[in-house]
Amino acid sequence: MPTSMRLEPHVIEELVTICNTMLTSLEEARDAAHDLVRTEGFGDCESARQLAAGYARKASGTPESARERIDQFIATLTDLRDAFATGGEAFLDAEFDWARQLRSAEIEL
């Protein structure tokens, strides 16, 4: 494995642009996820309140919730973009770290 890598300027620009586009989409998803905790309309019986509380937990407030997962993806993609922006030199250092972060942020189905 090479110890250094240098990307051509046009490749760096394209990769950073792709990352920025993805970050914009993730930030929009994070904003939309903010409303997921609003669980009105399930009804007033106990089982409805429990169901609403379960959906709210899946939306935000736990490490596995939608909002927190999106934040994890944003942080990882930001690190990746920044590594590319250095011309690829930091990419090799960060390569295994960001891959590990993405794997740890995967949602188990």
Side-chain angles (χ1 to χ4, degrees), residues 1-5 88-97:
M1 180 167 143
T3 58
S4 67
M5 176 175 78
E89 294 170 9
F91 176 73
L92 287 177
D93 294 335
E95 178 178 7
F96 295 107
D97 188 49

Side-chain angles (χ1 to χ4, degrees), residues 6-23:
R6 184 80 184 140
L7 297 173
E8 295 295 322
H10 72 280
V11 174
I12 294 169
E13 184 177 327
E14 186 172 342
L15 289 168
V16 169
T17 298
I18 290 168
C19 288
N20 284 335
T21 300
M22 292 172 64
L23 283 167

